[in-house]
Each structure stands twice: as C-alpha cells, then as structure tokens.
Amino acid sequence: DSGVTQTPKHLITATGQRVTLRCSPRSGDLSVYWYQQSLDQGLQFLIHYYNGEERAKGNILERFSAQQFPDLHSELNLSSLELGDSALYFCASSPRLQPNNSPLHFGNGTRLTVT
Amino acid sequence: GESVGLHLPTLSVQEGDNSIINCAYSNSASDYFIWYKQESGKGPQFIIDIRSNMDKRQGQRVTVLLNKTVKHLSLQIAATQPGDSAVYFCAEKLGGGADGLTFGKGTHLIIQP
C-alpha cells in the first residue's frame, strides 16, 4: 500500500458531463501530481501542486483543472467530457517540490469511462 | 516525442531465470531515474531508483544499472518469480523544474512456468 488514496475507483459517465476525481496524498507529502494513462499514450503528466500552489503543467487540456486544498488533498476536475478522455487517472505524491531524491508514490487510480 | 523509451514491449522468461529489462533515454540533463512495476488494476509501484552520479544500485533481487555514456538504463530481476509478472516502466527526472517524472511506455514481463 503506497499510502496514496484515490476515489472513486471507477467512474462511468456520458459525453459532455463533468466529474471530479479525488486524491489524498501520503501523510507528510506536500507534492501531488496527476497523470493520465491510456493504452496508446502511456503515463502522461498532467499537473503538479505543491503545498497548495500549482507548480507545473504538462499535457493537460483546458477542459481539465485541478486544485490542492489546505489539508493537502487534491481534486482533478474534468469537464465537457469526450470519449477520448476515457483513461486511468493516477495521483502520485512526494514529500518535496522536486523528486530528485525521492520517488513519486502512486495511488491505484480512477478508471474513467466516458460513453 | 518521449525522451524515455523501452526496447521491447514484451519480455517472456522462465521462472527462476534472471530478467533484464532495458530502457533508453535521450535527455542528458536527466539526473534521477526510477523503475516502477505496475500490476493489473493497480498504480505504478516503486521498485528502485538511481541518481546520475551512480552506475549501479542494488535492492532485494533487483539491480539497476545506469550507463550515462550511451544513455541506457536497465533493471535486472534475479530468480524471477510468478509475482514478478507485470508491466515495468522506467522514468526519468530532468534536472531542475517541477514537472515530475517522464515515463516510458513500459515492458510487459511474462513469467513462464
């Protein structure tokens, strides 16, 4: 068990809808990263928050947004969903701003299916 | 394109044999490398890491080798067991920045009985 908790495990929704994915990092970790995993693209970095502030953006669509709350949990909001958004969404946490000496620890993901 | 990639998408080995999974990276500025194991229905699980100032690091049944000259990373698993069946990803961290890790597409390790 990595200590990173993601909810829900599965989510099925229709095109055009909006969903929120939730992540609780490991105790003491200040950094939260969001990744998308699809069959053809592998693990793609979306966004990074550190202690409540956005620190880096990757391949994140404008329809997607995230935030990190004072208790350090994070939410990823996906709106105007399209079929192509179906994927696994992972959250990872790390104690530091830059994981140069410590790995990211991943949750078990949320499987999103858009129908 | 990706700066991290794997040579083989699938690797099949006999139980008890040693496994070697390879990874090439293209960014010489990367200073930290990690191997992850992902089992079906689970998130990537940390196996072992290595910094760019090292050539080799050993863990329990696993060894990571880093060859900076040819930008190559490998994961060796000794005495492969059925529980080692999974997809293995290498990941790199570019020096500086807050972008997290860049992942390769993964190698599926299959253990034959």
Side-chain angles (χ1 to χ4, degrees):
Chain A
D1 183 7
S2 68
V4 178
T5 303
Q6 290 188 249
T7 58
K9 288 186 179 180
H10 302 279
L11 201 48
I12 302 175
T13 189
T15 55
Q17 296 298 305
R18 181 180 189 275
V19 297
T20 297
L21 313 183
R22 182 187 170 101
C23 169
S24 293
R26 293 189 318 164
S27 178
D29 284 359
L30 299 178
S31 272
V32 170
Y33 299 79
W34 286 97
Y35 281 81
Q36 179 191 59
Q37 186 177 40
S38 58
L39 285 176
D40 59 343
Q41 291 294 323
L43 277 157
Q44 297 288 313
F45 167 66
L46 294 178
I47 197 164
H48 170 209
Y49 275 81
Y50 176 79
N51 203 21
E53 292 187 9
E54 180 187 306
R55 298 309 299 251
K57 271 187 173 180
N59 300 319
I60 189 166
L61 300 172
E62 287 191 6
R63 300 184 283 110
F64 296 0
S65 64
Q67 52 185 331
Q68 186 180 28
F69 295 86
D71 67 353
L72 301 178
H73 92 270
S74 178
E75 292 181 355
L76 180 67
N77 301 297
L78 314 177
S79 62
S80 302
L81 285 167
E82 302 174 359
L83 295 177
D85 297 327
S86 295
L88 279 165
Y89 291 85
F90 287 103
C91 164
S93 74
S94 173
R96 301 180 181 83
L97 173 60
Q98 297 179 17
N100 291 87
N101 288 301
S102 61
L104 305 187
H105 293 272
F106 284 79
N108 283 327
T110 293
R111 180 176 293 279
L112 174 66
T113 302
V114 182
T115 61
Chain B
E2 292 191 4
S3 64
V4 176
L6 294 168
H7 295 310
L8 298 173
T10 301
L11 177 65
S12 183
V13 298
Q14 292 291 125
E15 183 179 349
D17 287 352
N18 297 334
S19 301
I20 299 176
I21 301 172
N22 297 303
C23 175
Y25 67 94
S26 60
N27 198 320
S28 58
S30 294
D31 62 358
Y32 181 54
F33 304 86
I34 307 174
W35 280 100
Y36 284 92
K37 172 187 180 182
Q38 187 175 21
E39 297 175 282
S40 180
K42 296 187 177 181
Q45 176 188 358
F46 168 76
I47 302 174
I48 192 167
D49 58 1
I50 189 168
R51 287 192 54 79
S52 58
N53 60 354
M54 301 173 68
D55 298 324
K56 179 180 180 179
R57 193 169 187 210
Q58 288 184 290
Q60 187 176 15
R61 282 201 308 119
V62 294
T63 300
V64 56
L65 298 177
L66 176 62
N67 185 330
K68 294 181 287 294
T69 302
V70 295
K71 296 177 187 169
H72 184 268
L73 190 70
S74 68
L75 176 69
Q76 300 178 1
I77 304 174
T80 310
Q81 303 170 357
D84 294 328
S85 290
V87 177
Y88 289 81
F89 294 94
C90 64
E92 66 178 313
K93 174 67 177 75
L94 300 181
D99 284 2
L101 303 172
T102 299
F103 285 81
K105 287 199 181 293
T107 291
H108 187 192
L109 179 63
I110 299 171
I111 311 303
Q112 304 281 2

